[in-house]
Amino acid sequence: MSNTPKVSLILIGPPGSGKGTQATRICERFGIPWISTGDILRAAVKAGTALGVQVQTLLSAGALVGDDMMIDLVRERLGRTDTAAGFVLDGFPRTLVQAAALDGLVAAVPPHALVLEVPEAELERRLTARRICTKCKTLSTSRSLYGSEAELCSKCGSILITRDDDNVLTIRHRLENYRTQTAPLVAHYQARGTLSIVDGMRAPDDVTTTIFKLIDSRRNGCATP
Ligand code: AMP
Protein backbone atom coordinates (compact mmCIF):
# COMPACT_ATOMS: atom_id res chain seq x y z
CA MET A 1 0.00 0.00 0.00
CA SER A 2 1.21 3.55 -0.76
CA ASN A 3 2.16 5.90 2.09
CA THR A 4 0.96 8.93 0.12
CA PRO A 5 -1.53 10.79 2.31
CA LYS A 6 -5.09 10.67 1.10
CA VAL A 7 -6.38 13.95 -0.43
CA SER A 8 -9.95 14.29 0.76
CA LEU A 9 -11.57 17.66 0.31
CA ILE A 10 -14.90 19.32 0.80
CA LEU A 11 -15.50 22.34 -1.42
CA ILE A 12 -17.90 24.79 0.18
CA GLY A 13 -19.11 27.89 -1.59
CA PRO A 14 -22.25 29.46 -2.99
CA PRO A 15 -23.42 28.55 -6.50
CA GLY A 16 -21.16 30.34 -8.99
CA SER A 17 -18.17 30.55 -6.63
CA GLY A 18 -16.07 28.33 -8.90
CA LYS A 19 -16.35 25.00 -7.07
CA GLY A 20 -16.85 23.02 -10.29
CA THR A 21 -13.90 24.63 -12.07
CA GLN A 22 -11.56 24.14 -9.12
CA ALA A 23 -12.80 20.60 -8.43
CA THR A 24 -11.93 19.52 -12.00
CA ARG A 25 -8.38 20.85 -11.64
CA ILE A 26 -7.81 19.32 -8.19
CA CYS A 27 -9.09 15.93 -9.36
CA GLU A 28 -6.89 16.01 -12.46
CA ARG A 29 -3.79 16.82 -10.45
CA PHE A 30 -4.31 14.24 -7.69
CA GLY A 31 -6.08 11.55 -9.75
CA ILE A 32 -9.06 11.40 -7.41
CA PRO A 33 -12.80 11.38 -8.20
CA TRP A 34 -14.93 14.54 -8.31
CA ILE A 35 -18.13 13.84 -6.45
CA SER A 36 -20.65 16.53 -7.35
CA THR A 37 -24.01 15.76 -5.78
CA GLY A 38 -25.67 18.25 -8.16
CA ASP A 39 -24.25 16.34 -11.16
CA ILE A 40 -25.35 13.00 -9.73
CA LEU A 41 -28.90 14.34 -9.26
CA ARG A 42 -29.02 15.97 -12.72
CA ALA A 43 -27.84 12.70 -14.30
CA ALA A 44 -30.60 10.84 -12.43
CA VAL A 45 -33.21 13.33 -13.70
CA LYS A 46 -31.92 12.97 -17.26
CA ALA A 47 -31.95 9.16 -17.07
CA GLY A 48 -35.47 9.20 -15.55
CA THR A 49 -34.50 6.93 -12.63
CA ALA A 50 -36.69 6.67 -9.51
CA LEU A 51 -34.33 9.11 -7.75
CA GLY A 52 -34.51 11.50 -10.71
CA VAL A 53 -38.31 11.52 -10.71
CA GLN A 54 -38.33 12.26 -6.96
CA VAL A 55 -35.94 15.22 -7.12
CA GLN A 56 -36.79 16.82 -10.48
CA THR A 57 -39.20 19.47 -9.13
CA LEU A 58 -36.87 20.40 -6.27
CA LEU A 59 -33.94 20.88 -8.64
CA SER A 60 -35.81 23.10 -11.05
CA ALA A 61 -37.06 25.23 -8.14
CA GLY A 62 -33.56 25.52 -6.66
CA ALA A 63 -34.80 23.87 -3.43
CA LEU A 64 -32.72 21.47 -1.36
CA VAL A 65 -33.25 17.71 -1.58
CA GLY A 66 -33.95 16.06 1.82
CA ASP A 67 -31.00 15.31 4.10
CA ASP A 68 -31.71 11.56 4.46
CA MET A 69 -31.77 11.02 0.71
CA MET A 70 -28.54 12.99 0.21
CA ILE A 71 -26.75 11.23 3.07
CA ASP A 72 -27.67 7.78 1.66
CA LEU A 73 -26.47 8.85 -1.77
CA VAL A 74 -23.10 10.11 -0.49
CA ARG A 75 -22.60 7.12 1.83
CA GLU A 76 -23.00 4.81 -1.16
CA ARG A 77 -20.70 6.94 -3.36
CA LEU A 78 -17.92 7.20 -0.76
CA GLY A 79 -18.08 3.43 -0.28
CA ARG A 80 -16.84 2.78 -3.82
CA THR A 81 -13.24 1.68 -4.33
CA ASP A 82 -12.22 4.71 -6.44
CA THR A 83 -12.22 6.90 -3.30
CA ALA A 84 -9.29 4.95 -1.75
CA ALA A 85 -6.78 7.73 -2.62
CA GLY A 86 -9.24 10.49 -1.78
CA PHE A 87 -12.04 12.54 -3.31
CA VAL A 88 -13.38 16.04 -3.81
CA LEU A 89 -16.90 16.55 -2.52
CA ASP A 90 -18.64 19.40 -4.34
CA GLY A 91 -22.13 20.40 -3.19
CA PHE A 92 -22.20 18.16 -0.11
CA PRO A 93 -22.61 18.79 2.78
CA ARG A 94 -25.08 21.64 2.39
CA THR A 95 -26.69 21.56 5.84
CA LEU A 96 -25.44 21.00 9.39
CA VAL A 97 -27.32 17.66 9.48
CA GLN A 98 -25.43 16.51 6.37
CA ALA A 99 -22.12 17.74 7.86
CA ALA A 100 -22.68 15.77 11.07
CA ALA A 101 -23.46 12.62 9.04
CA LEU A 102 -20.34 13.13 6.93
CA ASP A 103 -18.21 13.53 10.09
CA GLY A 104 -19.28 9.99 10.99
CA LEU A 105 -18.63 8.58 7.52
CA VAL A 106 -15.07 9.94 7.27
CA ALA A 107 -14.03 9.92 10.94
CA ALA A 108 -10.77 8.04 10.17
CA VAL A 109 -9.41 10.78 7.84
CA PRO A 110 -11.29 14.07 8.34
CA PRO A 111 -11.43 15.95 5.02
CA HIS A 112 -9.96 19.41 4.51
CA ALA A 113 -12.81 21.91 4.01
CA LEU A 114 -12.14 24.77 1.58
CA VAL A 115 -14.52 27.72 1.41
CA LEU A 116 -14.60 29.81 -1.77
CA GLU A 117 -15.75 33.32 -0.84
CA VAL A 118 -17.43 35.49 -3.49
CA PRO A 119 -19.86 38.42 -2.94
CA GLU A 120 -23.51 37.85 -3.98
CA ALA A 121 -23.66 40.54 -6.69
CA GLU A 122 -20.78 38.82 -8.49
CA LEU A 123 -22.41 35.39 -8.11
CA GLU A 124 -25.61 36.55 -9.83
CA ARG A 125 -23.57 38.00 -12.67
CA ARG A 126 -21.55 34.81 -13.09
CA LEU A 127 -24.53 32.44 -12.89
CA THR A 128 -26.64 34.22 -15.50
CA ALA A 129 -23.69 34.07 -17.92
CA ARG A 130 -22.76 30.45 -17.05
CA ARG A 131 -22.99 27.77 -19.74
CA ILE A 132 -22.36 24.04 -19.47
CA CYS A 133 -21.18 21.65 -22.16
CA THR A 134 -23.81 19.06 -23.07
CA LYS A 135 -21.09 16.43 -23.49
CA CYS A 136 -18.03 16.92 -21.23
CA LYS A 137 -19.78 19.17 -18.63
CA THR A 138 -17.05 21.83 -18.85
CA LEU A 139 -18.30 25.18 -17.53
CA SER A 140 -17.76 28.41 -19.43
CA THR A 141 -18.94 32.00 -19.51
CA SER A 142 -21.19 33.15 -22.34
CA ARG A 143 -19.80 35.87 -24.60
CA SER A 144 -23.25 37.39 -24.96
CA LEU A 145 -26.06 37.20 -22.41
CA TYR A 146 -28.80 37.86 -24.93
CA GLY A 147 -27.40 36.52 -28.21
CA SER A 148 -29.25 33.59 -29.81
CA GLU A 149 -26.14 32.30 -31.59
CA ALA A 150 -25.13 28.78 -30.41
CA GLU A 151 -21.85 28.70 -28.52
CA LEU A 152 -19.52 25.71 -28.52
CA CYS A 153 -17.39 24.13 -25.81
CA SER A 154 -13.72 25.14 -26.11
CA LYS A 155 -12.64 21.66 -24.92
CA CYS A 156 -14.72 19.25 -27.05
CA GLY A 157 -16.67 21.45 -29.51
CA SER A 158 -20.13 20.30 -28.34
CA ILE A 159 -23.06 22.67 -27.82
CA LEU A 160 -23.15 24.77 -24.65
CA ILE A 161 -26.44 25.19 -22.83
CA THR A 162 -27.73 27.10 -19.80
CA ARG A 163 -28.54 24.91 -16.80
CA ASP A 164 -32.30 24.84 -16.04
CA ASP A 165 -31.71 26.33 -12.59
CA ASP A 166 -29.43 29.16 -13.79
CA ASN A 167 -32.30 31.67 -14.15
CA VAL A 168 -32.60 34.79 -11.99
CA LEU A 169 -35.45 33.62 -9.73
CA THR A 170 -33.97 30.20 -9.04
CA ILE A 171 -30.52 31.70 -8.59
CA ARG A 172 -31.86 34.00 -5.84
CA HIS A 173 -33.50 31.05 -4.13
CA ARG A 174 -30.27 29.01 -4.28
CA LEU A 175 -28.26 31.93 -2.88
CA GLU A 176 -30.72 32.29 -0.03
CA ASN A 177 -30.45 28.55 0.71
CA TYR A 178 -26.70 28.97 0.83
CA ARG A 179 -26.91 31.90 3.24
CA THR A 180 -29.32 30.20 5.63
CA GLN A 181 -28.45 26.47 5.38
CA THR A 182 -24.88 26.13 4.14
CA ALA A 183 -22.94 29.17 5.43
CA PRO A 184 -23.18 27.82 9.04
CA LEU A 185 -20.86 24.98 7.92
CA VAL A 186 -17.97 27.46 8.01
CA ALA A 187 -18.19 27.61 11.82
CA HIS A 188 -18.66 23.81 11.96
CA TYR A 189 -15.36 23.12 10.18
CA GLN A 190 -13.58 26.06 11.82
CA ALA A 191 -14.32 24.49 15.20
CA ARG A 192 -12.70 21.25 13.98
CA GLY A 193 -9.59 23.07 12.73
CA THR A 194 -10.02 21.66 9.22
CA LEU A 195 -11.09 24.82 7.37
CA SER A 196 -9.30 27.13 4.93
CA ILE A 197 -10.89 30.23 3.42
CA VAL A 198 -10.00 31.10 -0.18
CA ASP A 199 -10.73 34.38 -1.95
CA GLY A 200 -12.84 33.29 -4.95
CA MET A 201 -12.81 36.75 -6.54
CA ARG A 202 -9.31 36.28 -7.92
CA ALA A 203 -8.58 34.84 -11.37
CA PRO A 204 -9.35 31.07 -11.55
CA ASP A 205 -5.65 30.19 -12.05
CA ASP A 206 -4.66 32.16 -8.93
CA VAL A 207 -7.38 30.42 -6.95
CA THR A 208 -6.06 27.04 -8.15
CA THR A 209 -2.49 27.93 -7.13
CA THR A 210 -3.67 28.91 -3.64
CA ILE A 211 -5.69 25.70 -3.29
CA PHE A 212 -2.79 23.49 -4.41
CA LYS A 213 -0.52 25.21 -1.86
CA LEU A 214 -3.07 24.65 0.90
CA ILE A 215 -3.45 20.97 -0.03
CA ASP A 216 0.31 20.47 -0.20
CA SER A 217 0.98 22.13 3.14
CA ARG A 218 -1.68 19.98 4.77
CA ARG A 219 -0.29 16.82 3.16
CA ASN A 220 3.15 17.74 4.45
CA GLY A 221 1.78 17.84 7.95
CA CYS A 222 1.54 21.62 8.39
CA ALA A 223 -1.46 23.02 10.23
CA THR A 224 -4.33 24.33 8.09
CA PRO A 225 -3.62 28.04 7.50
P1 AMP B 1 -25.35 22.16 -7.54
O1 AMP B 1 -24.99 21.60 -8.88
O2 AMP B 1 -24.39 21.76 -6.46
O3 AMP B 1 -25.62 23.65 -7.57
O4 AMP B 1 -26.74 21.46 -7.13
C1 AMP B 1 -27.90 21.61 -7.92
C2 AMP B 1 -29.14 21.28 -7.10
O5 AMP B 1 -29.08 19.91 -6.62
C3 AMP B 1 -29.33 22.11 -5.83
O6 AMP B 1 -29.94 23.36 -6.08
C4 AMP B 1 -30.22 21.18 -5.00
O7 AMP B 1 -31.54 21.19 -5.52
C5 AMP B 1 -29.65 19.81 -5.31
N1 AMP B 1 -28.56 19.41 -4.38
C6 AMP B 1 -27.26 19.15 -4.72
N2 AMP B 1 -26.55 18.79 -3.64
C7 AMP B 1 -27.40 18.83 -2.59
C8 AMP B 1 -27.27 18.58 -1.18
N3 AMP B 1 -26.10 18.24 -0.64
N4 AMP B 1 -28.38 18.73 -0.42
C9 AMP B 1 -29.57 19.07 -0.93
N5 AMP B 1 -29.76 19.32 -2.24
C10 AMP B 1 -28.70 19.21 -3.07
Side-chain angles (χ1 to χ4, degrees):
M1 219 170 89
S2 140
N3 289 325
T4 315
K6 186 166 166 155
V7 178
S8 47
L9 292 175
I10 301 168
L11 281 185
I12 301 171
S17 57
K19 297 190 301 296
T21 302
Q22 298 303 329
T24 320
R25 296 174 179 190
I26 299 166
C27 292
E28 261 172 34
R29 170 163 169 197
F30 294 102
I32 51 178
W34 171 21
I35 304 177
S36 156
T37 45
D39 272 357
I40 296 173
L41 296 172
R42 277 186 292 279
V45 170
K46 200 170 168 207
T49 63
L51 170 69
V53 172
Q54 279 192 69
V55 301
Q56 182 160 24
T57 319
L58 295 170
L59 255 70
S60 24
L64 292 187
V65 173
D67 287 330
D68 289 348
M69 195 180 278
M70 294 309 302
I71 293 164
D72 285 349
L73 187 149
V74 168
R75 181 186 298 113
E76 186 280 323
R77 182 64 190 85
L78 290 180
R80 295 199 207 159
T81 50
D82 66 346
T83 61
F87 53 82
V88 174
L89 264 178
D90 163 7
F92 184 96
R94 248 177 164 100
T95 65
L96 284 170
V97 172
Q98 294 178 12
L102 182 65
D103 287 346
L105 290 175
V106 293
V109 186
H112 185 180
L114 295 174
V115 182
L116 289 177
E117 281 194 336
V118 178
E120 282 207 10
E122 168 68 7
L123 294 168
E124 240 184 74
R125 194 194 65 75
R126 286 186 189 179
L127 288 167
T128 43
R130 181 161 80 171
R131 301 291 179 269
I132 185 164
C133 173
T134 40
K135 192 167 170 207
C136 72
K137 308 287 174 232
T138 295
L139 295 169
S140 50
T141 303
S142 173
R143 288 188 302 276
S144 137
L145 279 182
Y146 306 107
S148 52
E149 168 203 350
E151 293 180 60
L152 301 179
C153 174
S154 58
K155 241 186 185 171
C156 75
S158 303
I159 299 269
L160 296 174
I161 54 163
T162 303
R163 254 172 59 170
D164 276 354
D165 56 355
D166 280 346
N167 64 73
V168 175
L169 273 184
T170 310
I171 288 169
R172 294 203 175 138
H173 190 189
R174 287 157 63 209
L175 292 176
E176 190 191 329
N177 283 340
Y178 181 80
R179 228 181 293 123
T180 57
Q181 311 272 344
T182 311
L185 299 187
V186 172
H188 177 90
Y189 290 109
Q190 219 148 25
R192 279 158 182 70
T194 53
L195 184 92
S196 301
I197 294 180
V198 178
D199 176 5
M201 277 300 276
R202 288 175 310 136
D205 287 351
D206 294 342
V207 175
T208 309
T209 306
T210 303
I211 290 178
F212 285 176
K213 278 190 192 149
L214 288 169
I215 296 173
D216 287 338
S217 65
R218 202 176 151 91
R219 287 177 107 200
N220 296 331
C222 306
T224 306

Short mmCIF file of all heavy atoms in Angstrom, two decimals, residues 15-16 19 36-39 41-42 55 58-67 70 74 90-95 98 130 163 165 170 174 177, ligand 1:
data_model
loop_
_atom_site.label_atom_id
_atom_site.label_comp_id
_atom_site.label_asym_id
_atom_site.label_seq_id
_atom_site.Cartn_x
_atom_site.Cartn_y
_atom_site.Cartn_z
N PRO A 15 -23.40 28.85 -5.08
CA PRO A 15 -23.42 28.55 -6.50
C PRO A 15 -22.74 29.67 -7.27
O PRO A 15 -22.98 30.85 -6.98
CB PRO A 15 -24.91 28.46 -6.86
CG PRO A 15 -25.66 28.88 -5.65
CD PRO A 15 -24.73 28.90 -4.48
N GLY A 16 -21.85 29.31 -8.19
CA GLY A 16 -21.16 30.34 -8.99
C GLY A 16 -19.83 30.75 -8.39
O GLY A 16 -19.12 31.59 -8.94
N LYS A 19 -16.64 26.33 -7.62
CA LYS A 19 -16.35 25.00 -7.07
C LYS A 19 -16.11 23.98 -8.18
O LYS A 19 -15.18 23.20 -8.11
CB LYS A 19 -17.50 24.50 -6.19
CG LYS A 19 -17.77 25.34 -4.96
CD LYS A 19 -18.74 24.68 -4.01
CE LYS A 19 -20.11 24.37 -4.59
NZ LYS A 19 -20.89 25.55 -4.99
N SER A 36 -19.74 15.38 -7.37
CA SER A 36 -20.65 16.53 -7.35
C SER A 36 -22.06 15.99 -7.17
O SER A 36 -22.59 15.31 -8.05
CB SER A 36 -20.54 17.31 -8.68
OG SER A 36 -21.73 18.04 -8.91
N THR A 37 -22.67 16.30 -6.02
CA THR A 37 -24.01 15.76 -5.78
C THR A 37 -25.01 16.37 -6.76
O THR A 37 -25.94 15.70 -7.19
CB THR A 37 -24.45 16.00 -4.31
OG1 THR A 37 -24.13 17.34 -3.93
CG2 THR A 37 -23.76 15.04 -3.38
N GLY A 38 -24.79 17.64 -7.16
CA GLY A 38 -25.67 18.25 -8.16
C GLY A 38 -25.61 17.48 -9.48
O GLY A 38 -26.64 17.20 -10.10
N ASP A 39 -24.40 17.10 -9.90
CA ASP A 39 -24.25 16.34 -11.16
C ASP A 39 -24.91 14.97 -11.06
O ASP A 39 -25.54 14.51 -12.02
CB ASP A 39 -22.76 16.14 -11.49
CG ASP A 39 -22.20 17.30 -12.30
OD1 ASP A 39 -22.98 18.21 -12.65
OD2 ASP A 39 -20.98 17.30 -12.57
N LEU A 41 -27.44 14.17 -9.22
CA LEU A 41 -28.90 14.34 -9.26
C LEU A 41 -29.37 14.71 -10.66
O LEU A 41 -30.37 14.18 -11.15
CB LEU A 41 -29.34 15.42 -8.26
CG LEU A 41 -29.07 15.10 -6.78
CD1 LEU A 41 -29.36 16.33 -5.90
CD2 LEU A 41 -29.92 13.93 -6.31
N ARG A 42 -28.62 15.60 -11.34
CA ARG A 42 -29.02 15.97 -12.72
C ARG A 42 -28.97 14.76 -13.65
O ARG A 42 -29.83 14.58 -14.50
CB ARG A 42 -28.12 17.09 -13.26
CG ARG A 42 -28.56 18.49 -12.81
CD ARG A 42 -27.73 19.59 -13.47
NE ARG A 42 -26.35 19.59 -13.01
CZ ARG A 42 -25.94 20.15 -11.86
NH1 ARG A 42 -26.78 20.78 -11.09
NH2 ARG A 42 -24.66 20.09 -11.51
N VAL A 55 -36.61 13.94 -7.42
CA VAL A 55 -35.94 15.22 -7.12
C VAL A 55 -36.13 16.28 -8.20
O VAL A 55 -35.76 17.44 -7.99
CB VAL A 55 -34.42 15.00 -6.88
CG1 VAL A 55 -34.19 14.05 -5.72
CG2 VAL A 55 -33.69 14.53 -8.12
N LEU A 58 -37.71 19.67 -7.22
CA LEU A 58 -36.87 20.40 -6.27
C LEU A 58 -35.71 21.07 -7.00
O LEU A 58 -35.40 22.25 -6.77
CB LEU A 58 -36.32 19.46 -5.19
CG LEU A 58 -37.35 18.83 -4.26
CD1 LEU A 58 -36.72 17.73 -3.42
CD2 LEU A 58 -37.92 19.91 -3.34
N LEU A 59 -35.09 20.33 -7.90
CA LEU A 59 -33.94 20.88 -8.64
C LEU A 59 -34.35 22.07 -9.48
O LEU A 59 -33.67 23.10 -9.46
CB LEU A 59 -33.30 19.80 -9.53
CG LEU A 59 -31.98 19.24 -9.01
CD1 LEU A 59 -32.23 18.39 -7.78
CD2 LEU A 59 -31.26 18.44 -10.07
N SER A 60 -35.48 21.95 -10.20
CA SER A 60 -35.81 23.10 -11.05
C SER A 60 -36.25 24.30 -10.24
O SER A 60 -36.14 25.42 -10.71
CB SER A 60 -36.80 22.76 -12.17
OG SER A 60 -37.56 21.68 -11.83
N ALA A 61 -36.69 24.09 -8.98
CA ALA A 61 -37.06 25.23 -8.14
C ALA A 61 -35.85 25.77 -7.37
O ALA A 61 -35.96 26.79 -6.70
CB ALA A 61 -38.14 24.81 -7.16
N GLY A 62 -34.73 25.07 -7.42
CA GLY A 62 -33.56 25.52 -6.66
C GLY A 62 -33.71 25.21 -5.19
O GLY A 62 -33.06 25.80 -4.33
N ALA A 63 -34.60 24.24 -4.84
CA ALA A 63 -34.80 23.87 -3.43
C ALA A 63 -33.89 22.70 -3.07
O ALA A 63 -33.45 21.96 -3.95
CB ALA A 63 -36.26 23.47 -3.22
N LEU A 64 -33.62 22.55 -1.78
CA LEU A 64 -32.72 21.47 -1.36
C LEU A 64 -33.45 20.13 -1.30
O LEU A 64 -34.60 20.06 -0.87
CB LEU A 64 -32.11 21.78 0.01
CG LEU A 64 -31.13 22.95 0.08
CD1 LEU A 64 -30.50 23.02 1.48
CD2 LEU A 64 -30.04 22.84 -0.97
N VAL A 65 -32.75 19.08 -1.71
CA VAL A 65 -33.25 17.71 -1.58
C VAL A 65 -33.09 17.32 -0.11
O VAL A 65 -32.19 17.84 0.58
CB VAL A 65 -32.43 16.79 -2.51
CG1 VAL A 65 -32.79 15.32 -2.31
CG2 VAL A 65 -32.62 17.20 -3.97
N GLY A 66 -33.96 16.43 0.39
CA GLY A 66 -33.95 16.06 1.82
C GLY A 66 -32.61 15.49 2.28
O GLY A 66 -31.91 14.81 1.52
N ASP A 67 -32.29 15.76 3.54
CA ASP A 67 -31.00 15.31 4.10
C ASP A 67 -30.82 13.79 4.03
O ASP A 67 -29.75 13.31 3.64
CB ASP A 67 -30.88 15.76 5.56
CG ASP A 67 -30.63 17.26 5.68
OD1 ASP A 67 -30.01 17.84 4.76
OD2 ASP A 67 -31.03 17.84 6.70
N MET A 70 -29.89 12.57 0.61
CA MET A 70 -28.54 12.99 0.21
C MET A 70 -27.47 12.21 0.97
O MET A 70 -26.44 11.84 0.42
CB MET A 70 -28.36 14.50 0.46
CG MET A 70 -29.20 15.40 -0.40
SD MET A 70 -29.12 15.05 -2.17
CE MET A 70 -27.41 15.24 -2.52
N VAL A 74 -24.54 9.86 -0.68
CA VAL A 74 -23.10 10.11 -0.49
C VAL A 74 -22.44 8.92 0.23
O VAL A 74 -21.31 8.55 -0.09
CB VAL A 74 -22.87 11.45 0.25
CG1 VAL A 74 -21.43 11.59 0.71
CG2 VAL A 74 -23.26 12.60 -0.66
N ASP A 90 -18.18 18.09 -3.87
CA ASP A 90 -18.64 19.40 -4.34
C ASP A 90 -20.16 19.43 -4.22
O ASP A 90 -20.85 18.66 -4.88
CB ASP A 90 -18.16 19.54 -5.80
CG ASP A 90 -18.87 20.64 -6.58
OD1 ASP A 90 -19.66 21.40 -5.98
OD2 ASP A 90 -18.64 20.72 -7.79
N GLY A 91 -20.68 20.30 -3.34
CA GLY A 91 -22.13 20.40 -3.19
C GLY A 91 -22.67 19.60 -2.02
O GLY A 91 -23.87 19.61 -1.76
N PHE A 92 -21.82 18.92 -1.31
CA PHE A 92 -22.20 18.16 -0.11
C PHE A 92 -21.06 18.29 0.89
O PHE A 92 -19.91 18.11 0.49
CB PHE A 92 -22.43 16.69 -0.44
CG PHE A 92 -22.93 15.88 0.74
CD1 PHE A 92 -24.29 15.64 0.91
CD2 PHE A 92 -22.04 15.38 1.69
CE1 PHE A 92 -24.74 14.91 2.01
CE2 PHE A 92 -22.50 14.66 2.79
CZ PHE A 92 -23.84 14.42 2.94
N PRO A 93 -21.31 18.56 2.16
CA PRO A 93 -22.61 18.79 2.78
C PRO A 93 -23.12 20.20 2.50
O PRO A 93 -22.35 21.11 2.22
CB PRO A 93 -22.31 18.61 4.27
CG PRO A 93 -20.87 18.99 4.43
CD PRO A 93 -20.20 18.61 3.14
N ARG A 94 -24.44 20.35 2.62
CA ARG A 94 -25.08 21.64 2.39
C ARG A 94 -25.88 22.08 3.60
O ARG A 94 -26.43 23.18 3.59
CB ARG A 94 -26.03 21.52 1.21
CG ARG A 94 -25.58 22.30 -0.02
CD ARG A 94 -26.59 22.01 -1.10
NE ARG A 94 -26.57 22.89 -2.20
CZ ARG A 94 -25.98 22.61 -3.37
NH1 ARG A 94 -25.28 21.52 -3.52
NH2 ARG A 94 -26.11 23.45 -4.37
N THR A 95 -25.98 21.22 4.60
CA THR A 95 -26.69 21.56 5.84
C THR A 95 -25.87 21.00 7.01
O THR A 95 -25.03 20.11 6.82
CB THR A 95 -28.09 20.90 5.89
OG1 THR A 95 -27.91 19.48 5.95
CG2 THR A 95 -28.96 21.26 4.69
N GLN A 98 -26.28 17.25 7.32
CA GLN A 98 -25.43 16.51 6.37
C GLN A 98 -23.97 16.51 6.85
O GLN A 98 -23.26 15.51 6.74
CB GLN A 98 -25.50 17.12 4.97
CG GLN A 98 -26.88 16.99 4.32
CD GLN A 98 -26.96 17.64 2.94
OE1 GLN A 98 -25.95 18.01 2.35
NE2 GLN A 98 -28.17 17.79 2.43
N ARG A 130 -23.41 31.77 -17.08
CA ARG A 130 -22.76 30.45 -17.05
C ARG A 130 -23.38 29.50 -18.08
O ARG A 130 -24.58 29.44 -18.25
CB ARG A 130 -22.93 29.86 -15.66
CG ARG A 130 -22.27 28.51 -15.52
CD ARG A 130 -22.04 28.16 -14.08
NE ARG A 130 -23.24 27.65 -13.42
CZ ARG A 130 -23.22 27.13 -12.20
NH1 ARG A 130 -22.10 27.09 -11.51
NH2 ARG A 130 -24.32 26.68 -11.67
N ARG A 163 -27.90 25.86 -17.71
CA ARG A 163 -28.54 24.91 -16.80
C ARG A 163 -29.94 25.41 -16.48
O ARG A 163 -30.16 26.61 -16.33
CB ARG A 163 -27.72 24.86 -15.51
CG ARG A 163 -26.91 23.61 -15.37
CD ARG A 163 -26.00 23.67 -14.20
NE ARG A 163 -26.67 23.86 -12.91
CZ ARG A 163 -26.05 23.75 -11.73
NH1 ARG A 163 -24.77 23.46 -11.68
NH2 ARG A 163 -26.70 23.94 -10.61
N ASP A 165 -31.56 25.53 -13.82
CA ASP A 165 -31.71 26.33 -12.59
C ASP A 165 -30.82 27.58 -12.58
O ASP A 165 -30.74 28.25 -11.57
CB ASP A 165 -31.45 25.45 -11.34
CG ASP A 165 -30.09 24.76 -11.35
OD1 ASP A 165 -29.37 24.86 -12.36
OD2 ASP A 165 -29.76 24.13 -10.34
N THR A 170 -34.52 31.39 -9.69
CA THR A 170 -33.97 30.20 -9.04
C THR A 170 -32.61 30.50 -8.43
O THR A 170 -32.28 30.03 -7.34
CB THR A 170 -33.87 29.05 -10.07
OG1 THR A 170 -35.12 28.95 -10.71
CG2 THR A 170 -33.53 27.75 -9.43
N ARG A 174 -31.44 29.83 -4.62
CA ARG A 174 -30.27 29.01 -4.28
C ARG A 174 -29.29 29.80 -3.41
O ARG A 174 -28.68 29.26 -2.48
CB ARG A 174 -29.59 28.51 -5.57
CG ARG A 174 -30.41 27.41 -6.25
CD ARG A 174 -30.11 27.28 -7.73
NE ARG A 174 -28.75 26.91 -8.01
CZ ARG A 174 -28.09 27.27 -9.12
NH1 ARG A 174 -28.68 28.01 -10.04
NH2 ARG A 174 -26.87 26.88 -9.29
N ASN A 177 -30.71 29.85 0.05
CA ASN A 177 -30.45 28.55 0.71
C ASN A 177 -29.02 28.49 1.22
O ASN A 177 -28.76 27.99 2.30
CB ASN A 177 -30.61 27.38 -0.29
CG ASN A 177 -32.06 27.07 -0.56
OD1 ASN A 177 -32.92 27.44 0.22
ND2 ASN A 177 -32.32 26.41 -1.67
P1 AMP B 1 -25.35 22.16 -7.54
O1 AMP B 1 -24.99 21.60 -8.88
O2 AMP B 1 -24.39 21.76 -6.46
O3 AMP B 1 -25.62 23.65 -7.57
O4 AMP B 1 -26.74 21.46 -7.13
C1 AMP B 1 -27.90 21.61 -7.92
C2 AMP B 1 -29.14 21.28 -7.10
O5 AMP B 1 -29.08 19.91 -6.62
C3 AMP B 1 -29.33 22.11 -5.83
O6 AMP B 1 -29.94 23.36 -6.08
C4 AMP B 1 -30.22 21.18 -5.00
O7 AMP B 1 -31.54 21.19 -5.52
C5 AMP B 1 -29.65 19.81 -5.31
N1 AMP B 1 -28.56 19.41 -4.38
C6 AMP B 1 -27.26 19.15 -4.72
N2 AMP B 1 -26.55 18.79 -3.64
C7 AMP B 1 -27.40 18.83 -2.59
C8 AMP B 1 -27.27 18.58 -1.18
N3 AMP B 1 -26.10 18.24 -0.64
N4 AMP B 1 -28.38 18.73 -0.42
C9 AMP B 1 -29.57 19.07 -0.93
N5 AMP B 1 -29.76 19.32 -2.24
C10 AMP B 1 -28.70 19.21 -3.07
#
